[in-house]
Amino acid sequence: MDIKEIQEEIVDEFSMFDDWMQRYEYMIELGKSLPLIDEKYKTEDNIIKGCQSKVWVHAELEEDKLVFTADSDAIITKGIIAILIRAFSNQKPQDIIDADTEFIDEIGLKEHLSPTRANGLVSMIKQLKLYAVAYQTQLN
Amino acid sequence: MLNAQKIRKDFPILSREVNGKPLVYLDNAATSQTPQQVIEVIVDYYSSYNANIHRGVHFLSQEATDKYEQARQKIQRHFNASKAKEIIFTSGTTHGINLVANGFSSLLQKGDEILVSAMEHHSNIVPWQMLAERTGAILKVIPMNEQGELMMNEYRNLLSSNTKLVFCNHVSNALGTINPIATIIDEAHKVGAAVLIDGAQAAPHIKADVQALNVDFYTVSAHKMCGPTGVGVLYGKEEWLNKLPPYQGGGEMIAEVTFEKTTYADLPHKFEAGTPNICGGIAFGAALDYLNSIGFSEMEAYEHELLDYATNKLLEIEGLKIYGTAQEKTSVISFNIEGVHPYDIGTILDKLGIAVRTGHHCAQPIMDFYKIPGTVRASFSFYNTKEEVDILVEGVKRAKNMLL
């Protein structure tokens, strides 16, 4: 599936929930099931400093696709990371560069994407795209 | 006894909804809400007598000047300063601290020592670090214990004839600890050091008497005291304010200007360059009138009751730990639940209409001391109620169930 299709799938899943409680409970579940980043990558270098919760991201090229692993010390943040990773991981760098993130808004999590919200999520998306740019350059 | 239900009617914002739930505002240590009586003063200023002050010959300018200077006198009386000119209007506590720190640049020498408490807000750490870098002075830290109380014996050991300045907050923003500032000031004076007290967190709860305390500098923000943002005052003893050079240059702060030399205006104008927050200053005076009409001892007794009630209720939740358990504290509760990040709790509480602060509260050294990333902080005001505490406690339980 390409990024757009995965995003549509996620939007579909979230459309089943009636209220914020269910959405957040699902996100917390996703957060708990996020495959853990290898401890050796949880370094200061890999940390994306949001104001409150820490986010670590690691990227690796497998053939022509970029694979992300990540973690956070806050579970709701981790849930959002899980959603982002599902959408962006295992995709070609150029597709990641071109992808938009409006689906986050559609699943009712817009507040987490506000640049003023101190959770480092905006920086996280930026970081995923920066990795994609870096690896795309390498592929060229 | 204070009637919180009646008082709440003075605050229009308290009847709004957030995320479809009635607002439960428990972030009072960050900023307090504004009563109608103060809002009306702000509206009246811009509707009736908005003008620049201290220089106009016209009627409105004189009226605005009178009101602004009356506010200064109100603030003087509130803090029991001996003279109105010892009250400097600032943009807030941080401005007041920077004004003093900057002034001491020319008074300190290499090897002089500055003491700062371990439980300071970043705004009462960074300016002194910058001062130390500029002057070669040494910054030393008064340590605190596990309860979040300053270790006074350590403090006495740190004091010496090299100590020139001591900085400490009256109340810790992250923990709510009320520090023994009278003793801190006395001990510092014995070695000839000056003392600045950051009163930002204390001022909404405790009426400080600057003469009785014999404090050299005391600084507060209006927005924590039911006044508007962007205005505060620095109290300084006249002799100290005369010693310090001006902080910013500009209009208002001069006596005479030629290209060869400028002579500075007398106190307080020497430190009030540029057009001040005129409306803010007047509204600050109105906010003090409002708080005094309720009465500080009544507020203190009521808030203490809320604090005890909330502390007991929260501690019933398994795994909940409160940081800052000093004997003397204001109505602030900083807590965590074992295994849960404070940010997650704050996010769920927000969805329930409950406003708390999460994070390090601009006091990272305190978080490092407890080895935690941050806390959830609920801070109560005299307009909060036990019913709101119950909503908070239920919210925390719900968050815990969801997150664990």
Side-chain angles (χ1 to χ4, degrees), chain B residues 142-210:
Chain B
I142 311 162
M144 68 173 197
N145 64 20
E146 190 66 26
Q147 288 74 43
E149 294 167 320
L150 289 177
M151 296 160 85
M152 294 300 283
N153 280 337
E154 299 286 333
Y155 169 58
R156 288 185 187 97
N157 290 338
L158 283 169
L159 285 169
S160 74
S161 57
N162 292 330
T163 313
K164 294 291 180 273
L165 284 165
V166 175
F167 308 109
C168 180
N169 51 35
H170 192 168
V171 167
S172 154
N173 74 309
L175 305 174
T177 309
I178 303 173
N179 286 312
I181 58 164
T183 312
I184 289 171
I185 295 162
D186 282 349
E187 298 283 337
H189 284 166
K190 282 183 196 161
V191 298
V195 183
L196 178 141
I197 299 293
D198 167 354
Q201 292 294 332
H205 310 285
I206 303 163
K207 199 167 174 171
D209 179 330
V210 293

Side-chain angles (χ1 to χ4, degrees), chain B residues 332-345:
Chain B
V332 167
I333 302 181
S334 238
F335 66 91
N336 272 333
I337 290 176
E338 205 183 339
V340 183
H341 196 282
Y343 178 78
D344 288 327
I345 299 175

Side-chain angles (χ1 to χ4, degrees), chain B residues 352-367:
Chain B
L352 295 167
I354 305 163
V356 293
R357 173 103 190 248
T358 67
H360 54 55
H361 316 299
C362 299
Q364 271 178 347
I366 298 182
M367 303 303 134

Side-chain angles (χ1 to χ4, degrees), chain B residues 23-99:
Chain B
L23 168 68
V24 175
Y25 187 78
L26 303 178
D27 195 18
N28 295 289
T31 201
S32 54
Q33 295 302 344
T34 317
Q36 192 61 41
Q37 290 85 335
V38 174
I39 296 170
E40 276 165 17
V41 167
I42 295 168
V43 171
D44 184 43
Y45 172 80
Y46 284 109
S47 315
S48 320
Y49 59 97
N50 175 32
N52 211 331
I53 54 171
H54 292 145
R55 55 190 105 174
V57 292
H58 59 82
F59 185 88
L60 287 190
S61 173
Q62 194 53 50
E63 190 174 344
T65 304
D66 288 347
K67 292 267 174 60
Y68 190 66
E69 291 305 322
Q70 281 162 14
R72 193 192 304 274
Q73 287 162 9
K74 263 183 210 171
I75 297 164
Q76 174 208 346
R77 284 195 296 273
H78 180 82
F79 291 104
N80 194 30
S82 62
K83 304 172 188 95
K85 63 182 172 186
E86 292 177 321
I87 301 294
I88 312 291
F89 276 112
T90 62
S91 67
T93 304
T94 300
H95 179 192
I97 294 169
N98 277 281
L99 189 160

